[in-house]
Amino acid sequence: MMDDFGLYPREEPFDPLGVMLFKALQVIAFLFFLALLAVSPDAKDGKIDSKAEFMITLDWPDNHPDDLDLFVQDPAGNIAWYRHREAGFLTLDRDDRGGANDFIMVAGKKIASPIREEIVTLRGIVAGEYTVNVSHFVATTGEPVEANVKVQKLNPTAQVVFDNKFKLDHTGDEKTAVRFRLDAEGKVVNVDQRPKSLLETFRSSWRNGADLDPRTGVSKNTARVRRD
């Protein structure tokens, strides 16, 4: 009779399907945890951290047929460019040839890439001045091309050091986009746009009788030939 008034606690009805689903969820969660442990990279002695300190980008209008080239020189005189993609701490990560053979592979097929962009990263700090130049390697349209150069400091937080547009108007046209100076801590202490020809740096070395450029390792004969 007392149970009719709800004075005795009732036990919940047993649901075997709910119990099985709960146990299955526990097993899946445990397996997921094990999978995370398996894919987590272990700390290894001598592991190289490839993060970039600075990123320098050159871009021009999408689908443009002209070929522009980015040249970056560090304080030691090393120059990163399409024939010497790694120079000191500088790395040319993307070389864009404009409308010439600029494609990506998708499912085994060549797809024309509309993006016109070259990227150089700086993966270590050397105090001194860096020079960023752009060369108009192939002018096919006969019209000036508006290019944009941006320098970003990435660590400890992203910071735009320089961002500006300028025009190149003929094959062989070379312009200094920016020169910036770093201190020993990697802090930018000066930014200006004083012109300095990096292509003339190559020519001067060759005129002085060196068969191989000391910074690029490119011979006089092959330097006149565009990359494959």
Side-chain angles (χ1 to χ4, degrees), residues 67 127 180:
D67 183 356
F180 62 97

Side-chain angles (χ1 to χ4, degrees), residues 102-117:
D102 191 5
F103 62 87
I104 58 177
M105 297 297 296
V106 178
K109 296 181 179 179
K110 290 184 178 181
I111 306 296
S113 173
I115 299 173
R116 299 293 178 260
E117 182 180 55

Side-chain angles (χ1 to χ4, degrees), residues 58-61 64 66-71 132-149 164-177 199:
L58 160 70
D59 63 77
W60 60 106
H64 202 288
D66 286 11
D67 183 356
L68 306 185
D69 287 320
L70 185 61
F71 292 75
V132 181
N133 278 18
V134 178
S135 171
H136 200 163
F137 186 81
V138 176
T140 61
T141 64
E143 299 291 334
V145 182
E146 185 175 71
N148 186 83
V149 169
N164 198 24
K165 292 180 171 61
F166 55 95
K167 291 184 178 180
L168 300 103
D169 58 15
H170 62 273
T171 296
D173 192 11
E174 180 191 9
K175 283 187 169 60
T176 297
L199 294 179

Side-chain angles (χ1 to χ4, degrees), residues 209-220:
D211 179 58
L212 291 179
D213 182 86
R215 297 296 180 186
T216 65
V218 179
S219 88
K220 296 178 183 178

Side-chain angles (χ1 to χ4, degrees), residues 52-173:
E53 299 293 337
F54 285 80
M55 181 168 66
I56 302 163
T57 58
L58 160 70
D59 63 77
W60 60 106
D62 288 352
N63 292 306
H64 202 288
D66 286 11
D67 183 356
L68 306 185
D69 287 320
L70 185 61
F71 292 75
V72 182
Q73 183 182 50
D74 71 8
N78 300 300
I79 302 176
W81 58 305
Y82 64 83
R83 285 206 174 274
H84 195 61
R85 298 178 69 119
E86 295 186 6
F89 288 130
L90 297 169
T91 302
L92 177 63
D93 292 313
R94 187 175 194 275
D95 175 31
D96 195 315
R97 297 185 61 187
N101 205 30
D102 191 5
F103 62 87
I104 58 177
M105 297 297 296
V106 178
K109 296 181 179 179
K110 290 184 178 181
I111 306 296
S113 173
I115 299 173
R116 299 293 178 260
E117 182 180 55
E118 297 211 350
I119 302 173
V120 169
T121 51
L122 174 60
R123 302 184 184 277
I125 299 299
V126 176
E129 186 177 75
Y130 293 77
T131 302
V132 181
N133 278 18
V134 178
S135 171
H136 200 163
F137 186 81
V138 176
T140 61
T141 64
E143 299 291 334
V145 182
E146 185 175 71
N148 186 83
V149 169
K150 180 186 292 186
V151 179
Q152 299 179 77
K153 187 178 189 299
L154 302 180
N155 294 308
T157 58
Q159 173 190 354
V160 177
V161 174
F162 177 85
D163 188 358
N164 198 24
K165 292 180 171 61
F166 55 95
K167 291 184 178 180
L168 300 103
D169 58 15
H170 62 273
T171 296
D173 192 11

Side-chain angles (χ1 to χ4, degrees), residues 73 77 79 196-206 213:
Q73 183 182 50
I79 302 176
K196 174 184 178 182
S197 175
L198 297 183
L199 294 179
E200 185 58 34
T201 300
F202 297 148
R203 299 186 188 105
S204 296
S205 176
W206 296 334
D213 182 86

